[in-house]
Amino acid sequence: MSEPGDEVSAGRNSAGRNSLGRASLGRNFLSDNTAGASPEVAQAVAEALAGHSLPYGADPYTDSVRRRLRDVFERDLDVFLVSSGTAANGLALSALARPWGSVLCHTGSHVHNDECGAAEFFTGGSKVVTVPGADSKVDPEALLREIRRRAGDRHSVQPSALTLSQGTETGGVYTVEEIRTLCLIAKASGLGVHMDGARFANAVGRLGVSPAELSWKAGIDVLSFGTTKNGTMTADAIISFEPSLSAELAARVKRAGQLAAKARFHAAQLDAYLTDGLWLRNADRANALAARLRDGLSGVPGVELPGAEPQMNMVFCGLAPDTIKGLLADGYAFYHDRWEPGVVRFVTSFAHSAEDVDALLSAIRRHTAEPASAPPRPTVPHPRDRSSRHHCVRE
């Protein structure tokens, strides 16, 4: 999703060295998908290398993943392992939306902005229609207006699915009650509801509620269960809570080339990820490090912070141009100037340490203390109050 000139935004320092490489280990706060994998996950894949196993998901690892997810979500369900979050979202929506219908999502959603039309492709032509709302959350009244806007008009696409991002593209989290309200509105009009759970684990950890409460109990039909940001290598999952969708999803996954012959290597990753609560420990660690970073930035001269504290593992702040340049020259990687001039996003991951966060804070303090070469920058609004085509929930 890079654009011309994005090298600096992506963390290329003034000497031209790519600061996303191993030389910047511990200094990469670009996104949590830059982290490696949990050792337990890597070990599980290594163990799956030995011997033979039945293909296409008929292996013991896939069976184990199904059992674990049924325990996690407290009910029977169907699981389809895929190789990316984009595939998970597109295929999940294809089972809910009709080609002549529309998929409703927030204006800033990843499905709308950052998946190259995958939703339209997998659904066979469903139109993605955006709905506004503060903090990157769909506003219930705006959703109802959009559903009713051209209801019954044969010349217009009719809403057939709603998709919600959990967490949101700018670091927010939908509460159980917010999800329930939106699902009730959608289902009263016959819409299915999908959740883009790229950071579902972070949301569970933040809210302290069960995965079941945050998904099917609130009205979600299909969940894209994101894992690659939080400790796995190459696998995400589509979880269907609606049995009537399962046969269609199975066919669509195969037709899309997402049914891996050696599916055990996807499954081994998720099996380890779900063992002994690793997925929640990883998410809690990432969330806690974001809180540590936010607390450390509080009161630092020259750093502008929004009023809201991080709800998961993202921290937004405003920094002067010289501070941004200094951090990039130090080899730090992070997104900046993508939402508003001077707005920076730092994303912590399970692979970061408290020492990494403290080193970043020390670098920020050092650069903000240096004499400024430019006039002070005007106050910058928090990105949650703005829409942007660069939200990077995965990138």
Side-chain angles (χ1 to χ4, degrees), residues 90-317:
L91 287 166
L93 288 169
S94 73
L96 296 174
R98 303 281 69 85
W100 53 87
S102 62
V103 173
L104 305 185
C105 63
H106 189 272
T107 309
S109 72
H110 201 271
V111 165
H112 173 51
N113 293 300
D114 297 293
E115 294 187 346
C116 199
E120 292 90 338
F121 173 76
F122 281 110
T123 60
S126 293
K127 183 179 178 65
V128 172
V129 174
T130 62
V131 181
D135 298 337
S136 295
K137 296 180 183 180
V138 171
D139 178 76
E141 293 184 4
L143 174 62
L144 187 57
R145 285 196 300 271
E146 183 55 47
I147 290 174
R148 292 175 172 173
R149 187 168 60 86
R150 298 188 68 176
D153 183 349
R154 71 174 65 186
H155 303 289
S156 176
V157 291
Q158 300 296 296
S160 55
L162 169 67
T163 178
L164 307 173
S165 299
Q166 184 71 304
T168 73
E169 284 74 13
T170 50
V173 174
Y174 281 100
T175 65
V176 172
E177 189 55 40
E178 287 171 333
I179 297 168
R180 185 179 293 116
T181 297
L182 293 168
C183 287
L184 286 172
I185 293 170
K187 294 192 172 187
S189 298
L191 279 67
V193 186
H194 163 255
M195 177 173 280
D196 175 0
R199 292 189 175 95
F200 184 78
N202 300 88
V204 170
R206 165 67 184 187
L207 295 173
V209 299
S210 73
E213 290 176 286
L214 207 56
S215 56
W216 65 271
K217 286 186 176 181
I220 300 299
D221 296 305
V222 186
L223 168 68
S224 294
F225 186 63
T227 69
T228 54
K229 291 179 177 300
N230 195 42
T232 67
M233 299 177 182
T234 58
D236 281 344
I238 303 168
I239 298 176
S240 173
F241 302 113
E242 176 49 63
S244 65
L245 300 176
S246 297
E248 180 177 347
L249 273 168
R252 287 183 177 276
V253 167
K254 173 62 178 179
R255 186 170 182 263
Q258 288 292 319
L259 178 60
K262 296 184 179 180
R264 68 183 183 274
F265 294 115
H266 283 345
Q269 296 175 54
L270 267 75
D271 194 38
Y273 180 72
L274 294 165
T275 298
D276 298 329
L278 175 63
W279 70 294
L280 293 175
R281 293 199 307 276
N282 281 358
D284 287 344
R285 177 183 180 85
N287 289 352
L289 289 172
R292 184 186 186 96
L293 177 58
R294 173 60 162 76
D295 290 345
L297 290 171
S298 180
V300 176
V303 176
E304 297 173 7
L305 288 170
E309 295 184 1
Q311 292 187 287
M312 50 180 191
N313 59 323
M314 288 185 191
V315 177
F316 286 91
C317 65

